[in-house]
Amino acid sequence: MEAKTLPACPVETTLALISDKWKVLIIRDLLPGTKRFGELKKSIGSVSQKVLTSQLRQMEESGLLIRTVFPEVPPRVEYTLTELGHSLKPVLDAMQHWGEEYKTKNA
């Protein structure tokens, strides 16, 4: 997403980059380190291959992750968060904390 197309509001900008629930789960799963496509699909669960591929491409275009293709047969592709992607960790930590408190209060 180019800076000139980003919303003026910083909260809207963040939502524009990670608003899809799959993107947040992808970031969560890549925070510990690099993963292959199959590992991401398995850890995320019910996401389709088509949707996961689309989300990963969008995140790569936004600069949140790097896609590395190894020239092997069969091809091996790995995904790693960029520094920008890692900078979302406090946002995900806050979401986790809030979710835990909500579950405790509403259980």
Side-chain angles (χ1 to χ4, degrees):
M1 185 172 294
E2 294 180 36
K4 62 184 174 191
T5 61
L6 291 174
C9 172
V11 173
E12 246 183 289
T13 298
T14 305
L15 284 174
L17 292 171
I18 65 167
S19 62
D20 187 288
K21 79 172 184 178
W22 303 120
K23 289 179 183 172
V24 174
L25 297 179
I26 290 166
I27 293 167
R28 175 202 67 189
D29 289 354
L30 289 177
L31 278 168
T34 300
K35 283 197 171 39
R36 293 173 70 173
F37 184 89
E39 293 173 309
L40 283 171
K41 181 145 181 16
K42 186 176 182 180
S43 66
I44 292 171
S46 61
V47 65
S48 73
Q49 184 167 330
K50 179 181 176 182
V51 169
L52 181 56
T53 298
S54 170
Q55 297 298 295
L56 289 166
R57 284 188 183 141
Q58 289 173 24
M59 293 173 72
E60 184 180 15
E61 289 171 14
S62 299
L64 297 176
L65 60 80
I66 297 170
R67 178 180 184 260
T68 307
V69 181
F70 295 88
E72 302 172 354
V73 178
R76 177 171 49 114
V77 180
E78 292 182 345
Y79 297 90
T80 307
L81 288 178
T82 61
E83 190 176 323
L84 180 65
H86 272 286
S87 72
L88 287 163
K89 185 179 184 323
V91 175
L92 269 66
D93 289 346
M95 291 171 70
Q96 179 180 359
H97 177 74
W98 188 91
E100 287 170 353
E101 283 196 10
Y102 178 84
K103 285 169 78 173
T104 300
K105 292 176 183 174
N106 295 289

